[in-house]
Amino acid sequence: MKEIFERVSIRKYQDKQVEKEKIEQILKAAMAAPSAGNQQPWEFYVVTDKEKIKALSECSPYSGCAKDAPAVLVPCYRTEGLMFPEFDTIDLAIATENAWLEIDSLGLGGVWLAVAPIPDRMEKADAVLGIGDKLHAYALLPFGYPAETRTQQDRYDESRIHWV
């Protein structure tokens, strides 16, 4: 899967809307993720409203690049009704990675901005989206048509492999 080896964080976007069909494909990829006990603890907010995007870009010291994105995907996790609640954020990490790889495969670019597990960031994102007590923002994934190009560095490090 070339996206694993080519994907890079994109923080600059063209002033061009992303087609609804592509956004739906990204969501399908995210929801195709495996989860503990098939609990699927995720819900997703797709934010295209410029004022909401600007407010989300102020959720952390590192999220300023989101302000110019045409769309922000906010993966969220439920806290009730889960068979394995201790794995909710792991499940979200897999779903978010799937979304990110699909973003790349569609010729778009994005960046994963951490929200969870930092309470201040989570509260800010939850407030912007009007999320209730039973759902929490996990990350911000601003995306769009890239206005920058970069090459992924080779991170393979044989010294970190231990054959047993």
Side-chain angles (χ1 to χ4, degrees), residues 1 3-4 7 96-105:
M1 182 174 188
E3 289 80 16
I4 291 173
R7 180 228 42 83
T96 303
E97 178 76 0
N98 276 13
W100 201 7
L101 292 172
E102 187 63 18
I103 285 168
D104 188 80
S105 79

Side-chain angles (χ1 to χ4, degrees), residues 36-105:
N38 198 28
Q39 65 185 353
Q40 302 176 36
W42 46 68
E43 294 190 24
F44 299 90
Y45 283 75
V46 179
V47 184
T48 56
D49 177 273
K50 287 295 183 190
E51 287 183 33
K52 294 281 187 194
I53 290 173
K54 182 179 183 320
L56 287 171
S57 77
E58 298 167 356
C59 287
S60 93
Y62 308 101
S63 58
C65 62
K67 72 177 172 31
D68 295 321
V72 177
L73 180 64
V74 185
C76 299
Y77 63 95
R78 291 190 310 278
T79 56
E80 291 189 354
L82 301 178
M83 187 182 330
F84 301 106
E86 61 276 14
F87 294 107
D88 54 7
T89 56
I90 295 169
D91 295 343
L92 263 289
I94 299 167
T96 303
E97 178 76 0
N98 276 13
W100 201 7
L101 292 172
E102 187 63 18
I103 285 168
D104 188 80
S105 79

